[in-house]
Amino acid sequence: MESMQRIYAALIGALFTPMFESLYGEGETVRALMFAIAFFIAMDWMSGIRASKRDTSYASKYGIDGLFRTFFILLLPGGGHLLDVALGLPGILFGLLSFGILYHVIQSMTANSIRAGWGEWVPEWILNKITEWVKSELEAKLSRAEGRKEQKRLEGKADDKDLGA
């Protein structure tokens, strides 16, 4: 049984590694950068879910859209690498897209963490700096959350009318 597990792991590695390297490029830096992006996307999702549960703006439709958005975001650096190869560039577009995504995802994660109420674990002077950095992102998230809450409230009223209430 253990030998079959090893065979499956080797087959997955043999299939996944060339696909990953042809999409994103080779090297430890590429793997580390893509792992960092995936790590912070996971942190953004965790903090976003907790924040939306806390302010009662959670909507499964928004979460499903998030799956497609995340897939799109993860493909952007791959597109940058493919353009680098096509144009003969040394990873410039891959790097620009990767660091741009990483910057935005960390900003989003921080705004979600503050909305979730986790800001109390960070010293106030750091929180002030972070809050200033993510101010526009935080305002946009709060605005979207309020809009989703209002939409849910209006849908609830429409359901009440349908039921003859």
Side-chain angles (χ1 to χ4, degrees):
M1 189 64 151
E2 188 177 314
S3 63
M4 286 303 288
Q5 290 174 342
R6 288 183 184 174
I7 291 171
Y8 288 139
L11 286 173
I12 290 171
L15 292 173
F16 179 72
T17 301
M19 287 174 30
F20 179 88
E21 288 181 349
S22 67
L23 182 60
Y24 296 112
E26 298 177 13
E28 191 172 327
T29 303
V30 169
R31 284 190 298 277
L33 190 53
M34 291 311 299
F35 183 78
I37 289 171
F39 175 83
F40 284 108
I41 285 174
M43 299 270 294
D44 185 34
W45 272 57
M46 284 190 294
S47 59
I49 290 169
R50 293 312 318 152
S52 64
K53 294 272 188 183
R54 182 175 187 213
D55 64 19
T56 67
S57 65
Y58 183 79
S60 59
K61 180 191 177 304
Y62 189 73
I64 291 169
D65 289 344
L67 285 172
F68 289 102
R69 185 176 53 254
T70 299
F71 186 65
F72 179 83
I73 287 169
L74 288 172
L75 287 175
L76 282 173
H81 169 70
L82 295 174
L83 285 173
D84 282 336
V85 170
L87 299 173
L89 300 173
I92 294 171
L93 297 174
F94 171 81
L96 285 172
L97 288 170
S98 297
F99 281 104
I101 289 166
L102 196 55
Y103 177 85
H104 174 75
V105 170
I106 291 172
Q107 193 177 37
S108 175
M109 176 202 66
T110 304
N112 284 334
S113 298
I114 292 169
R115 269 183 54 224
W118 300 343
E120 62 197 41
W121 298 336
V122 181
E124 187 175 340
W125 68 272
I126 293 175
L127 188 58
N128 288 338
K129 292 273 188 197
I130 291 171
T131 303
E132 189 59 39
W133 180 55
V134 299
K135 185 178 181 182
S136 63
E137 182 72 19
L138 185 57
E139 289 171 354
K141 286 181 181 295
L142 290 173
S143 176
R144 277 196 312 267
E146 286 301 314
R148 287 195 304 268
K149 282 172 34 178
E150 180 65 18
Q151 183 180 8
K152 284 170 68 175
R153 188 183 67 75
L154 292 174
E155 287 172 356
K157 281 186 177 182
D159 289 343
D160 290 345
K161 286 180 184 178
D162 291 343
L163 296 174

